Amino acid sequence: MNVPLTIGDFLERAALIYRDRIGAVDEPGAPGSLGRVTYGELHDRARAMAVGFDEMGIGAGERVAIVSPNSARFLISYFGVSGFGRVFVPINYRLNAEEIAYIVEHSGTSVVLYDPDLDEIAQRVTSAKWIRLDGIQDAELFDPDRGRSRDPVPWQPDEDATCSINYTSGTTSRPKGVQLTHRNCWINAASFGWHMGVSDRDVLLHTLPMFHANGWGMPYALSAMGGRHVVQRRIDGETILERVEQEGVTLMCAAPAVVATILAAAEARREAGRPLPDGQVRIVVAGAPPPSKTIERVEEELGWEFVQIYGLTETSPLLTINRAPAEWDGLERADRARLLSRAGVPAVGVKMAVSPDGEVLARSNHVFKGYWEQPEETAQALEGGWFHTGDGGYEDGPYIVITDRRKDVIITGGENVSSIEVEDVLYQHEAVAEVAVIGIPDDTWGESVLALVVRRPGASVSEQELIDHCRDRLAHFKAPRRVEFVDSLARTATGKLQKYKLRQPYWEGRDRQVN
Ligand code: AMP
């Protein structure tokens, strides 16, 4: 028998077995917050969405986007959109109107669901139908009674159909649409859930943006098991600690910058003589290799288990995992932390390799189908039957260690910034003759964006003017934090920028060029 693997399976199962159990706790006080929602209600609301899209004439394969911070409605939409054969397009809500418009248009999205905080953007982007997630405009779309009383048009399940298109900044100035199939997402979720031992007793705090690679697939895995989702709308260390206490959180996924804010909040509590939450939390971190001191502090000061994973949006994302095996139980904390600072061993069903010139390669059932409408980029990424990660690294026994990024991508606060995109914007300024944008280490954000600029002869422009120029045209997280003026930029004989040379002075004394 060959039964198609589709992500609708996950919520179907939870609603069948755990109908009356609280499946999600929405952010209290957020506009249109749903409060505490049972799995039965999550399921009925997802069905209502499908009925609504049927009525709007949006068929299987058509795109429905969302631009929103984490919310219960976002969680429902994973299933209400993809679970019935439509393609989900989660968009980074920190992008500006022009960047969002590009994604909406490029993906051919018919409907955009948006958070009330983004009214201004909704007014400016006129393509597609925009629905405000405020509990009023979207009341019918999410009405659980409609989901119970009406049957959506059945979808012929197809595991190779595209489940979501996740736009990611990469080596081109425009973001690329990563098409993940139902099979990709299903297998990634099963593997991730398996490695993390996810069970119906787990309580997941959503400290990772739901738009980022579908929350790494953890929302699917947890729903399948009937665990509880706790929505975290904005990142704040103290609020995270409070949620852990109040909701009995056992699991979270986060970028290193989130770990830093939790540790700072814990330190503030200790100084004020306030207790820290007790109970075991497994915290899964990716985006950059965290310093081993940070890992040690998480385990020592918070008493949480630290797990590192490595992957990309294109790989759904789980490629490698570093979760301490039984053999490390008796180790000194510092030794254990040092071992945990490597990216990890291949997850089940993943094959990893390093090319002769040091690029990390991967093969697995959760490597993507291709970039949306970019066949050449797709062929390049999958050349030779391996996915080319663009990351530099080496093998340490079965462990993969990531040492640098060969692609022109900077990761700041867990989000990708394409250097080329920022360079394009700087070149639009009349005082700029030449520019190179690089990532440099930053204690808070992992890496921060630095622009090295050669001014046109006779032109005068200040650092702040160039930063403002970028902030006016790009999402703010992409704008350089610093601009340095230089006389010339290192180039190869053929005129190509030698970024590794330009980066060198800022990374001196470090064994890795990713942070
Ligand atoms: P994204 O597609 O936005 O999830 O970004 C993927 C990129 O994040 C990878 O290509 C790496 O450069 C980086 N990355 C993810 N996890 C790790 C990790 N554990 N260590 C080092 N870099 C990582």
Side-chain angles (χ1 to χ4, degrees), residues 76-272:
I76 295 165
S77 304
Y78 284 129
F79 302 103
V81 177
S82 312
F84 297 86
R86 295 174 186 91
V87 178
F88 195 39
V89 185
I91 302 177
N92 183 344
Y93 63 89
R94 291 205 177 87
L95 298 179
N96 68 23
E98 196 265 327
E99 292 161 331
I100 291 173
Y102 172 81
I103 295 174
V104 169
E105 279 156 30
H106 186 260
S107 60
T109 284
S110 319
V111 173
V112 184
L113 310 174
Y114 77 98
D115 185 83
D117 276 359
L118 303 169
D119 275 340
E120 209 188 303
I121 288 180
Q123 275 153 21
R124 287 177 53 193
V125 184
T126 46
S127 47
K129 175 184 167 74
W130 286 64
I131 301 177
R132 198 170 190 257
L133 297 172
D134 54 5
I136 302 164
Q137 246 187 52
D138 62 342
E140 197 173 47
L141 188 63
F142 285 90
D143 178 4
D145 289 335
R146 266 165 56 100
R148 276 188 286 271
S149 59
R150 305 265 300 270
D151 282 327
V153 171
W155 172 52
Q156 192 61 43
D158 174 5
E159 65 180 24
D160 295 320
T162 302
C163 173
S164 62
I165 306 180
N166 304 73
Y167 277 78
T168 175
S169 287
T171 45
T172 45
S173 67
R174 289 294 198 178
K176 288 179 282 194
V178 172
Q179 286 185 84
L180 300 176
T181 65
H182 281 266
R183 181 180 166 81
N184 291 149
C185 293
W186 208 106
I187 296 177
N188 172 77
S191 166
F192 196 10
W194 193 1
H195 282 288
M196 289 313 300
V198 171
S199 82
D200 80 295
R201 286 155 203 260
D202 269 312
V203 180
L204 173 75
L205 185 65
H206 283 266
T207 38
L208 190 74
M210 291 179 175
F211 68 77
H212 196 141
N214 303 327
W216 299 349
M218 189 50 92
Y220 297 140
L222 187 86
S223 302
M225 290 293 110
R228 181 174 297 174
H229 299 264
V230 179
V231 172
Q232 178 81 35
R233 193 175 153 91
R234 301 240 183 272
I235 293 304
D236 167 71
E238 176 53 29
T239 321
I240 292 173
L241 293 177
E242 283 164 17
R243 291 273 155 77
V244 170
E245 271 156 356
Q246 290 158 0
E247 300 292 343
V249 170
T250 60
L251 186 61
M252 58 180 93
C253 299
V258 178
V259 179
T261 163
I262 299 174
L263 285 171
E267 202 169 314
R269 275 199 181 196
R270 261 195 318 278
E271 277 166 13

Side-chain angles (χ1 to χ4, degrees), residues 92 95 99 168-175 212 405 407-423 437-439 445 447-450 474-481 499:
N92 183 344
L95 298 179
E99 292 161 331
T168 175
S169 287
T171 45
T172 45
S173 67
R174 289 294 198 178
H212 196 141
R405 225 169 272 123
K407 49 194 173 190
D408 257 342
V409 171
I410 299 161
I411 302 186
T412 180
E415 293 308 321
N416 289 5
V417 176
S418 157
S419 325
I420 299 165
E421 184 181 5
V422 185
E423 285 164 6
V437 167
I438 57 173
W445 302 107
E447 291 170 29
S448 65
V449 180
L450 168 72
L474 290 169
H476 291 179
F477 71 92
K478 299 179 182 175
R481 278 182 184 264
K499 289 235 167 141

Side-chain angles (χ1 to χ4, degrees), residues 212 286-289 308-313 391 402 405 407 411 416:
H212 196 141
Q308 181 171 179
I309 65 166
Y310 162 74
L312 298 86
T313 303
D391 293 312
I402 304 297
R405 225 169 272 123
K407 49 194 173 190
I411 302 186
N416 289 5

Side-chain angles (χ1 to χ4, degrees), residues 484-505:
E484 282 181 18
F485 295 103
V486 292
D487 294 334
S488 63
L489 295 169
R491 290 185 184 271
T492 61
T494 54
K496 203 168 171 284
L497 279 173
Q498 285 184 301
K499 289 235 167 141
Y500 75 96
K501 266 205 181 148
L502 297 171
R503 284 160 55 99
Q504 246 164 18

